[in-house]
Amino acid sequence: MGNRIPVTVTVESRQTGDDESTVRQQNCRGYLVSGQTVSLTYREESEEGEKSYTTLTREGEGIRLHRAGALQLDACLVPGQSTRCVWGVPPYSFDLELCCHVAEMTLSPMGGRVLLDYDRLLAGDKARLTLDIRVAREEVSE
Amino acid sequence: MTPQELKDLLRGGAPTGCFLFCGEEGYLKRVYLRQMRDLILSSPEFNTFNHMVREGAEIDLAAVADMINTPAFFAEGKLIEWHTADLSSLTEKKVEQLLSVAGTCTPESGTALVLICTPEGFDPGTRKRPSALAKKLEGAIHIVNFEKSTDAQLLNWLKRHFEHEGVKAEPQVLRAMLSRCGHSMDVLATETDKLTCYAKAKGRDSVTEEDVRLVCCSTTESDAFGLTNALLDRDPPLAYRCLQDLAARRVEPTVILGQISRLYTDLLAVARLMGEGMGRDAIAAALSMNAYKAGLYMQAAAKRKPEGLARALSVVAKADLTAKTTYGTSQYAMLDALVAELSVL
C-alpha cells in the first residue's frame, strides 16, 4: 500500500434534468494514495450532517466510484458504456443505471483533477450529472 | 409457542416469564420485542432501571439472575433482553442453570426475560418433533419459533402494510414484489415504504406493477449452491441472475468456474456409475458424496445424455484454460458465455 497524502478537494457537482439545473460546490478534505496507480478518497458532509466517503480509482478504461457512509454506491464508469448498480441510502436501496460520457482522471501525488460526466436513470427519471473534482496537495507548515 | 400464540398472549397485557425467540425471521423477532417493550416499559422516566439489554453468544446466567432479583423501579414490571444468544452447545449443567434462572421469572417478580437467539443458535426442531434441548426447556421457557414466512403469509402481510399506508395494491402487484424483491421481510418492508412514497409523490392512491419495476431493487436469493442448482435445473435465466449476484459480490471468477467444473465432473461420474447399474447409496459411497446430493445428481443425470455431459465438461475445461492463459479478457463475461453454452447442451 502506498503513502497517504493529505489533500484539499473541491467538488463541483452539476445536476441537470427536466429543464432544471442545480450546481453545488463543496470543499472537503481527503487523501491521495500513490502506488501502482493513484486513488483519491474524500469526505463530504450534507447540510443535515450526514457524512459519506468517496473513493475514485482508475480501473482499465474507466474510473471506479465507490461511496460509503450515508450514501452508498459502487460502480465502474467507462466512457460510452452503461452500468447497473445499487444506490444505497440506508435503510433503502435503489437500482440505478449509469451511462458514462466522460471519465477522466489526471492525478499525481501533487494533486490534479477528476472529471466525471454521466447520465443517471433512477425510477424512470433521467438526470445528467457532472462531477468536477479538483485536488490540491495540502501545504505542510513547519 | 407460535408467533400467533405470543400475539394472543400479548393481547392480555404485559407478559412475565422467560421467552426464547429463535428462527430465521429477524424482522418478526424485532416486531414482537417492540410490542413487549411497549407493554412492559410504561414509565419512560424509569426505563433506565427497568429495561436491561445485554448481548453475547454465551448468556451470563449469574448476571441475569441478579437482574431478575432486582425489584422493578417505580413500575409494575421490567424487561430483560439478551441478544445474539447461542444455545447450540450448552452443557447439561448450563441447561439446569438456565432452567433454574427461567423459573424465577414469576408473575410476582414482574419480570419478562427474552433470550433472542441467532438462527444457528438454537434448533427448536419441529412442532411434532421438537429437538432434545427444546424438550428440556419447554416446561420453563416459552420457545417462539419465528420461521421464514410462506408466500401466502407474505402476500397478506404486504396487503395489510399498503392498506395501513392508505395505498391500494392488487394481488398481482404484490406477487410482482415477491418475485422481484425476494422473501426477506426486512427488504419487503423498506420496498413497501419506497413504493408508498413514490405513489403518493405522483399523486396516486395505488401502486402498479410498473412502479414495482421502476422503484424496487431486484434481489437474487441465491445461496452458495444457487448457480449450480440453476445449472442442474437447466434454468438459464436464474443461472444468469445468480452469476450477476456473484459478480456484484465480487466472488472470484476462478472460484465460480471451479464450482461449475466440479458440478459437471460429478454429474458425469454419477451418469457413468448409473450406467453400470449402481444405486444411490453405492454411488454416494464410491464418490464419497452425501447420499442426498447423489440422489439429486442422479435425477439431473437421468435427464441428460452422457455424451452431452462429456461435451459440457470439455466446454468447461476449455473455458478454464482460456481463463488461465488469456490476459485482458473479462472473466465474468467469459462465465456469462459459458453459462449460455452450457444451457444448450
Side-chain angles (χ1 to χ4, degrees):
Chain A
M1 195 177 145
N3 293 327
R4 284 185 174 193
I5 304 162
V7 289
T8 51
V9 183
T10 307
V11 184
E12 186 182 289
S13 57
R14 178 185 295 274
Q15 181 173 334
T16 314
D18 290 341
D19 305 327
E20 275 182 41
S21 184
T22 51
V23 183
R24 188 168 161 258
Q25 197 181 59
Q26 193 172 15
N27 293 316
C28 40
R29 295 184 73 184
Y31 58 84
L32 290 166
V33 176
S34 176
Q36 283 187 331
T37 178
V38 181
S39 80
L40 167 69
T41 298
Y42 59 90
R43 188 184 85 163
E44 282 178 289
E45 193 167 337
S46 73
E47 285 166 8
E48 293 79 29
E50 292 166 327
K51 299 174 186 75
S52 62
Y53 296 83
T54 303
T55 301
L56 297 158
T57 319
R58 175 158 291 290
E59 193 172 300
E61 298 286 300
I63 294 172
R64 180 161 291 277
L65 172 65
H66 182 86
R67 282 209 163 118
L71 291 176
Q72 298 168 356
L73 181 78
D74 186 68
C76 187
L77 295 165
V78 182
Q81 286 185 21
S82 288
T83 181
R84 284 177 182 277
C85 57
V86 175
W87 181 44
V89 190
Y92 302 103
S93 51
F94 300 86
D95 277 337
L96 200 64
E97 189 174 337
L98 304 175
C99 178
C100 179
H101 303 292
V102 179
E104 289 173 4
M105 189 184 227
T106 46
L107 287 179
S108 75
M110 298 308 293
R113 187 181 180 204
V114 182
L115 183 64
L116 290 170
D117 182 21
Y118 55 95
D119 286 333
R120 184 188 71 186
L121 193 65
L122 172 68
D125 289 331
K126 196 173 177 181
R128 186 155 182 159
L129 283 105
T130 310
L131 276 181
D132 190 354
I133 301 160
R134 289 168 191 273
V135 185
R137 193 167 178 158
E138 277 188 2
E139 293 298 324
V140 181
S141 54
E142 289 288 323
Chain B
M1 181 181 265
T2 62
Q4 184 58 46
E5 286 166 344
L6 176 63
K7 197 177 189 176
D8 295 340
L9 179 78
L10 298 182
R11 280 200 189 109
T16 56
C18 181
F19 296 83
L20 192 156
F21 286 5
C22 58
E24 287 183 63
E25 195 47 86
Y27 180 87
L28 287 180
K29 287 181 193 169
R30 291 198 304 278
V31 166
Y32 282 96
L33 192 59
R34 197 172 58 224
Q35 283 186 23
M36 290 176 88
R37 285 177 191 160
D38 291 345
L39 286 167
I40 297 167
L41 306 169
S42 50
S43 315
E45 63 272 34
F46 300 124
N47 282 358
T48 316
F49 307 103
N50 298 323
H51 186 205
M52 287 146 263
V53 183
R54 300 283 186 279
E55 69 171 310
E58 192 180 341
I59 303 171
D60 184 343
L61 291 169
V64 173
D66 277 347
M67 290 183 230
I68 295 169
N69 290 332
T70 311
F73 193 73
F74 289 101
E76 293 284 310
K78 61 181 187 290
L79 176 64
I80 304 167
E81 299 173 16
W82 194 287
H83 292 259
T84 60
D86 185 351
L87 309 184
S88 58
S89 52
L90 274 191
T91 60
E92 199 66 36
K93 194 177 161 196
K94 285 271 181 192
V95 172
E96 290 303 322
Q97 285 175 353
L98 176 59
L99 288 170
S100 156
V101 169
T104 60
C105 297
T106 55
E108 295 74 42
S109 73
T111 303
L113 166 64
V114 188
L115 309 173
I116 302 112
C117 292
T118 58
E120 302 79 27
F122 181 76
D123 171 22
T126 61
R127 218 167 153 71
K128 281 186 181 171
R129 296 183 68 185
S131 68
L133 182 58
K135 271 187 197 165
K136 283 182 198 163
L137 300 179
E138 65 190 359
I141 298 175
H142 301 293
I143 300 169
V144 193
N145 186 9
F146 294 97
E147 292 175 287
K148 282 270 173 204
S149 306
T150 62
D151 279 14
Q153 287 168 330
L154 288 174
L155 290 171
N156 254 324
W157 175 74
L158 283 172
K159 186 167 174 272
R160 288 199 307 273
H161 265 236
F162 280 115
E163 281 171 359
H164 181 257
E165 297 291 340
V167 173
K168 284 184 227 128
E170 295 295 327
Q172 69 270 19
V173 175
L174 304 178
R175 278 194 291 274
M177 267 187 87
L178 281 195
S179 150
R180 188 169 174 85
C181 311
H183 294 73
S184 156
M185 290 179 95
D186 279 309
V187 172
L188 288 169
T190 55
E191 296 297 342
T192 308
D193 287 347
K194 281 163 58 182
L195 278 170
T196 306
C197 291
Y198 184 74
K200 287 183 177 172
K202 299 267 172 190
R204 292 194 260 117
D205 67 348
S206 62
V207 289
T208 64
E209 283 183 75
E210 177 66 2
D211 295 340
V212 172
R213 195 186 63 77
L214 283 175
V215 176
C216 295
C217 279
S218 57
T219 305
T220 304
E221 295 181 307
S222 64
D223 54 17
F225 307 107
L227 177 62
T228 47
N229 282 342
L231 289 171
L232 263 184
D233 295 340
R234 284 190 159 153
D235 186 347
L238 179 61
Y240 286 129
R241 287 206 300 276
C242 292
L243 192 57
Q244 214 171 23
D245 180 48
L246 293 168
R249 287 193 275 126
R250 301 241 189 146
V251 175
E252 273 292 311
T254 44
V255 172
I256 304 171
L257 194 55
Q259 283 180 5
I260 299 174
S261 164
R262 182 67 195 260
L263 169 74
Y264 283 94
T265 312
D266 284 349
L267 266 181
L268 185 60
V270 167
R272 288 198 171 145
L273 293 175
M274 279 169 74
E276 289 175 19
M278 286 170 78
R280 189 188 75 160
D281 292 340
I283 291 175
L287 299 177
S288 302
M289 190 184 269
N290 176 289
Y292 172 73
K293 186 178 168 186
L296 275 184
Y297 278 32
M298 284 174 76
Q299 283 173 19
K303 292 178 193 161
R304 294 163 163 89
K305 290 179 181 164
E307 51 273 27
L309 282 173
R311 228 180 114 208
L313 196 56
S314 73
V315 167
V316 177
K318 201 172 142 194
D320 188 49
L321 185 69
T322 310
K324 288 170 182 163
T325 53
T326 316
Y327 178 73
T329 49
S330 162
Q331 300 213 343
Y332 289 118
M334 183 212 64
L335 286 168
D336 253 353
L338 177 62
V339 168
E341 209 167 340
L342 290 172
S343 64
V344 295
L345 287 173

